[in-house]
Amino acid sequence: AQTVTQSQPEMSVQEAETVTLSCTYDTSESNYYLFWYKQPPSRQMILVIRQEAYKQQNATENRFSVNFQKAAKSFSLKISDSQLGDTAMYFCAFMKLHSGNTPLVFGKGTRLSVIA
Amino acid sequence: KAGVTQTPRYLIKTRGQQVTLSCSPISGHRSVSWYQQTPGQGLQFLFEYFSETQRNKGNFPGRFSGRQFSNSRSEMNVSTLELGDSALYLCASSPSGADIQYFGAGTRLSVL
């Protein structure tokens, strides 16, 4: 079974600074997706970024980028130029690639506070 | 395109009662998954429906059930509610399942 570990329960960052959230995972699969989701106080789970395991290039979405180290099974999220609206719970998630559905396996989350 | 819609947003029930939660997926999405979120256990997968068939199931007791209709809308039912069923229930839809899942805002269930 796959497991996802987020070792930082809480983090804080000053507005406009850069912060990195850590995630490690354990799997014997070779084909999978990794995701970062954001859950603000409104509770809506919002996709931040996706990484396909077969791609060596790290995914980037505007101020959000990942450092994907497949051999080390590490998938960290870097947020640049942090904004107050980035305050939220951030969840790292794993999905095995399979014909048909495979469920998301989530880490416990990191609560990020952006301070003005 | 409208997002994933979950109703109701909040529910208060008492032990022993049953409850039904509803999820309308994004138009064109055929896969609907349900997750339970609690402070202690985090996010746990309940089940997934695709084309009206349950395709995958998590490790939850039989009191948790669901179904999907021909228009891809899904319902989740919990019978004989227990205090431990208090949680945020999230629904997610995707075109096929093996893809990005888009989440609704959830239903907050409180069992008293």
Side-chain angles (χ1 to χ4, degrees):
Chain A
Q2 290 76 33
T3 58
V4 177
T5 302
Q6 294 179 249
S7 58
Q8 306 148 315
E10 293 191 31
M11 295 188 73
S12 62
V13 62
Q14 293 282 2
E15 201 175 5
E17 296 295 309
T18 296
V19 64
T20 299
L21 280 57
S22 301
C23 172
T24 58
Y25 59 96
D26 188 22
T27 185
S28 57
E29 302 289 331
S30 56
N31 294 319
Y32 51 87
Y33 288 153
L34 293 164
F35 302 87
W36 279 97
Y37 280 91
K38 161 186 174 181
Q39 188 178 41
S42 66
R43 304 177 337 206
Q44 180 94 43
M45 193 79 78
I46 300 164
L47 176 70
V48 175
I49 201 162
R50 177 183 71 169
Q51 175 78 45
E52 294 95 329
Y54 61 86
K55 287 188 177 178
Q56 292 187 340
Q57 186 173 6
N58 289 325
T60 300
E61 283 290 340
N62 301 314
R63 298 183 295 108
F64 300 88
S65 61
V66 298
N67 183 4
F68 173 48
Q69 301 289 327
K70 190 172 183 179
K73 295 180 183 173
S74 170
F75 182 61
S76 61
L77 175 70
K78 185 171 83 171
I79 306 174
S80 304
D81 185 27
S82 296
Q83 300 175 0
L84 296 177
D86 295 333
T87 293
M89 283 289 290
Y90 285 81
F91 293 95
C92 178
F94 172 98
M95 174 190 281
K96 181 173 67 174
L97 275 182
H98 184 272
S99 60
N101 166 270
T102 59
L104 288 165
V105 177
F106 288 91
K108 294 290 190 185
T110 296
R111 184 177 302 280
L112 177 67
S113 298
V114 180
I115 302 163
Chain B
K1 219 180 227 186
V4 178
T5 303
Q6 290 188 247
T7 57
R9 292 294 305 276
Y10 302 91
L11 268 177
I12 300 175
K13 294 286 186 179
T14 56
R15 276 182 300 174
Q17 287 187 309
Q18 75 165 22
V19 68
T20 299
L21 313 182
S22 180
C23 173
S24 294
I26 292 171
S27 178
H29 286 192
R30 297 169 65 189
S31 169
V32 174
S33 296
W34 290 88
Y35 294 85
Q36 182 196 64
Q37 185 177 19
T38 60
Q41 298 299 317
L43 284 144
Q44 294 183 286
F45 171 73
L46 281 155
F47 31 64
E48 184 249 358
Y49 286 86
F50 181 84
S51 292
E52 302 179 62
T53 301
Q54 187 181 88
R55 198 164 56 171
N56 210 338
K57 189 177 190 304
N59 189 26
F60 278 81
R63 300 185 297 106
F64 291 82
S65 63
R67 59 179 175 169
Q68 187 180 35
F69 301 95
S70 58
N71 62 357
S72 292
R73 189 177 71 86
S74 177
E75 288 182 347
M76 188 191 108
N77 183 274
V78 188
S79 62
T80 319
L81 283 165
E82 300 177 359
L83 295 179
D85 297 333
S86 294
L88 179 66
Y89 290 89
L90 292 166
C91 164
S93 78
S94 70
S96 65
D99 206 331
I100 295 171
Q101 294 188 20
Y102 298 89
F103 284 82
T107 294
R108 171 78 66 189
L109 172 65
S110 297
V111 182
L112 306 178

